[in-house]
Amino acid sequence: MPYPDSVGAIRDLLDQGKIRYAGISNATPEQIRLANKILDGRLVSVQNQFSPAFRSSEPELELCAELGIAFLPWSPLGGITQAGELGTRFSAFGEVAKAHGVSPQQVTLAWMLAKAPVVIPIPGASRPESIKDSARAAELKLSDEELARLDA
């Protein structure tokens, strides 16, 4: 089905009051702009993959920040099989974590949150400790130097 037709179906559901909010997933900047136009500015979220290992959605994140649309990074810690190795696979995240006395996962989420106020990461968790650790990322303040290092 053509992309404009798919988004048009979402618009119709909004217009009919059958849904309250509209979001899209795995979208390019062009698709985000098109969807927002078709939805008459009612696009509220974009869910794309984004993590230290998968940074190619940075343009989408920046566009969402510009347009005031929530950006929901899925698999922000690299997935269940790679989340535990985050600090070793990406040494800057491990080093910044060590300097703050926190986990590399917490640093990763704080890094994402610092990118724009529209970022709402979707970390998975199977243990209560992981959930609490992820939540504490909102309180972790990283310096401009640390953020630049993590962006490199």
Short mmCIF file of all heavy atoms in Angstrom, two decimals, residues 110-147:
data_model
loop_
_atom_site.label_atom_id
_atom_site.label_comp_id
_atom_site.label_asym_id
_atom_site.label_seq_id
_atom_site.Cartn_x
_atom_site.Cartn_y
_atom_site.Cartn_z
N ALA A 110 20.52 8.61 29.62
CA ALA A 110 20.71 10.04 29.93
C ALA A 110 21.22 10.80 28.70
O ALA A 110 20.80 11.93 28.44
CB ALA A 110 21.68 10.20 31.10
N TRP A 111 22.10 10.17 27.94
CA TRP A 111 22.62 10.75 26.70
C TRP A 111 21.48 11.01 25.72
O TRP A 111 21.38 12.09 25.13
CB TRP A 111 23.67 9.80 26.12
CG TRP A 111 24.08 10.00 24.71
CD1 TRP A 111 24.83 11.03 24.20
CD2 TRP A 111 23.83 9.13 23.60
NE1 TRP A 111 25.03 10.85 22.85
CE2 TRP A 111 24.43 9.68 22.46
CE3 TRP A 111 23.14 7.92 23.47
CZ2 TRP A 111 24.37 9.08 21.20
CZ3 TRP A 111 23.09 7.32 22.23
CH2 TRP A 111 23.70 7.89 21.11
N MET A 112 20.59 10.03 25.58
CA MET A 112 19.45 10.21 24.68
C MET A 112 18.53 11.32 25.17
O MET A 112 18.08 12.16 24.38
CB MET A 112 18.66 8.90 24.56
CG MET A 112 19.36 7.86 23.77
SD MET A 112 18.32 6.41 23.61
CE MET A 112 19.47 5.33 22.78
N LEU A 113 18.23 11.32 26.45
CA LEU A 113 17.34 12.33 27.01
C LEU A 113 17.91 13.73 26.85
O LEU A 113 17.16 14.70 26.68
CB LEU A 113 17.06 12.04 28.49
CG LEU A 113 16.21 10.79 28.77
CD1 LEU A 113 16.23 10.45 30.26
CD2 LEU A 113 14.80 10.96 28.25
N ALA A 114 19.24 13.85 26.87
CA ALA A 114 19.88 15.15 26.72
C ALA A 114 19.83 15.67 25.28
O ALA A 114 20.02 16.86 25.04
CB ALA A 114 21.34 15.07 27.19
N LYS A 115 19.57 14.80 24.34
CA LYS A 115 19.55 15.19 22.93
C LYS A 115 18.42 16.16 22.61
O LYS A 115 18.59 17.06 21.79
CB LYS A 115 19.48 13.97 22.02
CG LYS A 115 20.78 13.19 22.01
CD LYS A 115 20.79 12.21 20.89
CE LYS A 115 22.19 11.76 20.62
NZ LYS A 115 23.07 12.79 20.09
N ALA A 116 17.25 15.97 23.21
CA ALA A 116 16.10 16.84 22.94
C ALA A 116 15.01 16.52 23.96
O ALA A 116 14.87 15.37 24.39
CB ALA A 116 15.57 16.61 21.53
N PRO A 117 14.21 17.52 24.30
CA PRO A 117 13.14 17.27 25.27
C PRO A 117 12.03 16.37 24.74
O PRO A 117 11.17 15.94 25.51
CB PRO A 117 12.61 18.68 25.59
CG PRO A 117 13.07 19.54 24.48
CD PRO A 117 14.31 18.92 23.92
N VAL A 118 12.05 16.06 23.45
CA VAL A 118 11.01 15.20 22.87
C VAL A 118 11.37 13.72 22.92
O VAL A 118 10.57 12.87 22.53
CB VAL A 118 10.68 15.61 21.41
CG1 VAL A 118 10.15 17.04 21.36
CG2 VAL A 118 11.89 15.43 20.50
N VAL A 119 12.58 13.39 23.39
CA VAL A 119 13.04 12.00 23.39
C VAL A 119 12.45 11.25 24.58
O VAL A 119 12.56 11.69 25.73
CB VAL A 119 14.58 11.92 23.41
CG1 VAL A 119 15.05 10.48 23.53
CG2 VAL A 119 15.16 12.57 22.16
N ILE A 120 11.84 10.10 24.28
CA ILE A 120 11.28 9.21 25.30
C ILE A 120 11.74 7.79 24.96
O ILE A 120 11.09 7.08 24.19
CB ILE A 120 9.74 9.28 25.34
CG1 ILE A 120 9.25 10.72 25.49
CG2 ILE A 120 9.19 8.39 26.45
CD1 ILE A 120 7.77 10.89 25.24
N PRO A 121 12.90 7.37 25.48
CA PRO A 121 13.41 6.03 25.14
C PRO A 121 12.47 4.93 25.63
O PRO A 121 11.76 5.09 26.62
CB PRO A 121 14.75 5.96 25.88
CG PRO A 121 15.09 7.35 26.25
CD PRO A 121 13.79 8.09 26.38
N ILE A 122 12.54 3.80 24.94
CA ILE A 122 11.74 2.63 25.30
C ILE A 122 12.69 1.49 25.66
O ILE A 122 12.92 0.59 24.87
CB ILE A 122 10.82 2.19 24.13
CG1 ILE A 122 10.00 3.36 23.60
CG2 ILE A 122 9.90 1.06 24.58
CD1 ILE A 122 9.23 3.02 22.33
N PRO A 123 13.27 1.54 26.87
CA PRO A 123 14.16 0.44 27.25
C PRO A 123 13.36 -0.75 27.74
O PRO A 123 12.37 -0.58 28.45
CB PRO A 123 15.00 1.04 28.38
CG PRO A 123 14.10 2.06 29.01
CD PRO A 123 13.23 2.59 27.88
N GLY A 124 13.76 -1.91 27.36
CA GLY A 124 13.13 -3.11 27.87
C GLY A 124 13.79 -3.48 29.18
O GLY A 124 14.92 -3.08 29.46
N ALA A 125 13.11 -4.23 30.00
CA ALA A 125 13.68 -4.66 31.27
C ALA A 125 12.99 -5.95 31.70
O ALA A 125 11.79 -6.12 31.52
CB ALA A 125 13.51 -3.60 32.35
N SER A 126 13.78 -6.84 32.27
CA SER A 126 13.23 -8.08 32.79
C SER A 126 13.38 -8.17 34.30
O SER A 126 12.88 -9.11 34.91
CB SER A 126 13.90 -9.28 32.11
OG SER A 126 15.30 -9.24 32.34
N ARG A 127 14.08 -7.19 34.89
CA ARG A 127 14.30 -7.21 36.34
C ARG A 127 13.93 -5.85 36.94
O ARG A 127 14.18 -4.81 36.32
CB ARG A 127 15.77 -7.50 36.65
CG ARG A 127 16.25 -8.85 36.14
CD ARG A 127 17.76 -9.09 36.36
NE ARG A 127 18.54 -8.06 35.69
CZ ARG A 127 19.47 -7.32 36.31
NH1 ARG A 127 19.75 -7.49 37.57
NH2 ARG A 127 20.15 -6.40 35.63
N PRO A 128 13.38 -5.84 38.13
CA PRO A 128 13.04 -4.56 38.78
C PRO A 128 14.25 -3.63 38.90
O PRO A 128 14.12 -2.42 38.76
CB PRO A 128 12.52 -4.98 40.16
CG PRO A 128 12.03 -6.37 39.98
CD PRO A 128 12.94 -6.99 38.94
N GLU A 129 15.43 -4.20 39.13
CA GLU A 129 16.64 -3.38 39.27
C GLU A 129 16.93 -2.61 37.98
O GLU A 129 17.37 -1.46 38.00
CB GLU A 129 17.86 -4.24 39.63
CG GLU A 129 17.72 -5.01 40.92
CD GLU A 129 16.93 -6.32 40.78
OE1 GLU A 129 16.91 -6.91 39.69
OE2 GLU A 129 16.31 -6.71 41.77
N SER A 130 16.70 -3.26 36.85
CA SER A 130 16.92 -2.61 35.55
C SER A 130 15.94 -1.47 35.34
O SER A 130 16.31 -0.42 34.80
CB SER A 130 16.79 -3.62 34.41
OG SER A 130 17.75 -4.63 34.53
N ILE A 131 14.71 -1.66 35.75
CA ILE A 131 13.70 -0.62 35.62
C ILE A 131 14.10 0.60 36.46
O ILE A 131 14.05 1.74 35.98
CB ILE A 131 12.31 -1.14 36.02
CG1 ILE A 131 11.87 -2.25 35.06
CG2 ILE A 131 11.28 -0.01 36.08
CD1 ILE A 131 10.67 -3.04 35.53
N LYS A 132 14.51 0.37 37.69
CA LYS A 132 14.92 1.47 38.57
C LYS A 132 16.16 2.17 38.02
O LYS A 132 16.24 3.40 38.05
CB LYS A 132 15.19 0.93 39.98
CG LYS A 132 13.95 0.48 40.69
CD LYS A 132 14.29 -0.14 42.03
CE LYS A 132 13.06 -0.73 42.70
NZ LYS A 132 13.40 -1.45 43.93
N ASP A 133 17.11 1.41 37.50
CA ASP A 133 18.32 1.98 36.92
C ASP A 133 17.96 2.87 35.72
O ASP A 133 18.47 3.98 35.60
CB ASP A 133 19.28 0.88 36.49
CG ASP A 133 20.61 1.42 36.03
OD1 ASP A 133 21.34 2.01 36.85
OD2 ASP A 133 20.93 1.25 34.82
N SER A 134 17.07 2.38 34.87
CA SER A 134 16.65 3.17 33.70
C SER A 134 15.96 4.46 34.14
O SER A 134 16.22 5.53 33.57
CB SER A 134 15.71 2.35 32.82
OG SER A 134 16.40 1.29 32.20
N ALA A 135 15.10 4.39 35.14
CA ALA A 135 14.38 5.57 35.60
C ALA A 135 15.33 6.63 36.15
O ALA A 135 15.09 7.83 35.98
CB ALA A 135 13.35 5.17 36.65
N ARG A 136 16.41 6.20 36.78
CA ARG A 136 17.38 7.16 37.34
C ARG A 136 18.13 7.93 36.25
O ARG A 136 18.74 8.96 36.53
CB ARG A 136 18.36 6.44 38.27
CG ARG A 136 17.74 6.08 39.62
CD ARG A 136 18.79 5.63 40.63
NE ARG A 136 19.40 4.36 40.28
CZ ARG A 136 18.94 3.16 40.63
NH1 ARG A 136 17.86 3.06 41.37
NH2 ARG A 136 19.57 2.07 40.27
N ALA A 137 18.05 7.49 35.02
CA ALA A 137 18.71 8.21 33.92
C ALA A 137 18.18 9.63 33.78
O ALA A 137 18.90 10.53 33.36
CB ALA A 137 18.55 7.45 32.61
N ALA A 138 16.92 9.83 34.14
CA ALA A 138 16.32 11.17 34.03
C ALA A 138 16.98 12.16 34.99
O ALA A 138 16.92 13.37 34.75
CB ALA A 138 14.83 11.09 34.31
N GLU A 139 17.63 11.66 36.03
CA GLU A 139 18.28 12.52 37.02
C GLU A 139 19.77 12.72 36.74
O GLU A 139 20.39 13.59 37.33
CB GLU A 139 18.11 11.92 38.41
CG GLU A 139 16.67 11.74 38.82
CD GLU A 139 16.50 10.80 40.01
OE1 GLU A 139 17.51 10.30 40.53
OE2 GLU A 139 15.35 10.57 40.38
N LEU A 140 20.33 11.92 35.84
CA LEU A 140 21.77 11.97 35.57
C LEU A 140 22.07 13.14 34.62
O LEU A 140 21.56 13.18 33.51
CB LEU A 140 22.25 10.65 34.96
CG LEU A 140 23.72 10.56 34.60
CD1 LEU A 140 24.62 10.76 35.82
CD2 LEU A 140 24.01 9.21 33.95
N LYS A 141 22.88 14.06 35.08
CA LYS A 141 23.27 15.21 34.26
C LYS A 141 24.68 14.97 33.71
O LYS A 141 25.62 14.78 34.46
CB LYS A 141 23.24 16.50 35.07
CG LYS A 141 21.87 16.81 35.66
CD LYS A 141 20.82 17.01 34.59
CE LYS A 141 19.47 17.26 35.21
NZ LYS A 141 18.38 16.66 34.50
N LEU A 142 24.78 14.99 32.40
CA LEU A 142 26.06 14.81 31.74
C LEU A 142 26.57 16.16 31.28
O LEU A 142 25.79 17.01 30.83
CB LEU A 142 25.91 13.85 30.55
CG LEU A 142 25.36 12.46 30.89
CD1 LEU A 142 25.07 11.68 29.62
CD2 LEU A 142 26.35 11.71 31.77
N SER A 143 27.88 16.37 31.37
CA SER A 143 28.46 17.64 30.95
C SER A 143 28.47 17.73 29.42
O SER A 143 28.33 16.71 28.72
CB SER A 143 29.90 17.76 31.48
OG SER A 143 30.74 16.83 30.79
N ASP A 144 28.65 18.93 28.93
CA ASP A 144 28.74 19.13 27.48
C ASP A 144 29.91 18.32 26.90
O ASP A 144 29.79 17.75 25.81
CB ASP A 144 28.93 20.60 27.14
CG ASP A 144 27.67 21.43 27.41
OD1 ASP A 144 26.58 20.84 27.52
OD2 ASP A 144 27.80 22.67 27.50
N GLU A 145 31.00 18.24 27.64
CA GLU A 145 32.16 17.47 27.19
C GLU A 145 31.83 15.98 27.12
O GLU A 145 32.21 15.30 26.17
CB GLU A 145 33.37 17.72 28.11
CG GLU A 145 33.91 19.13 28.08
CD GLU A 145 33.10 20.13 28.92
OE1 GLU A 145 32.33 19.70 29.83
OE2 GLU A 145 33.20 21.34 28.65
N GLU A 146 31.12 15.49 28.14
CA GLU A 146 30.73 14.08 28.14
C GLU A 146 29.78 13.78 26.98
O GLU A 146 29.92 12.76 26.29
CB GLU A 146 30.08 13.70 29.47
CG GLU A 146 31.07 13.64 30.62
CD GLU A 146 30.40 13.51 31.97
OE1 GLU A 146 29.30 14.08 32.17
OE2 GLU A 146 30.97 12.82 32.83
N LEU A 147 28.83 14.66 26.76
CA LEU A 147 27.87 14.45 25.67
C LEU A 147 28.59 14.44 24.31
O LEU A 147 28.29 13.60 23.46
CB LEU A 147 26.78 15.53 25.69
CG LEU A 147 25.81 15.44 26.87
CD1 LEU A 147 24.94 16.68 26.95
CD2 LEU A 147 24.96 14.18 26.79
#
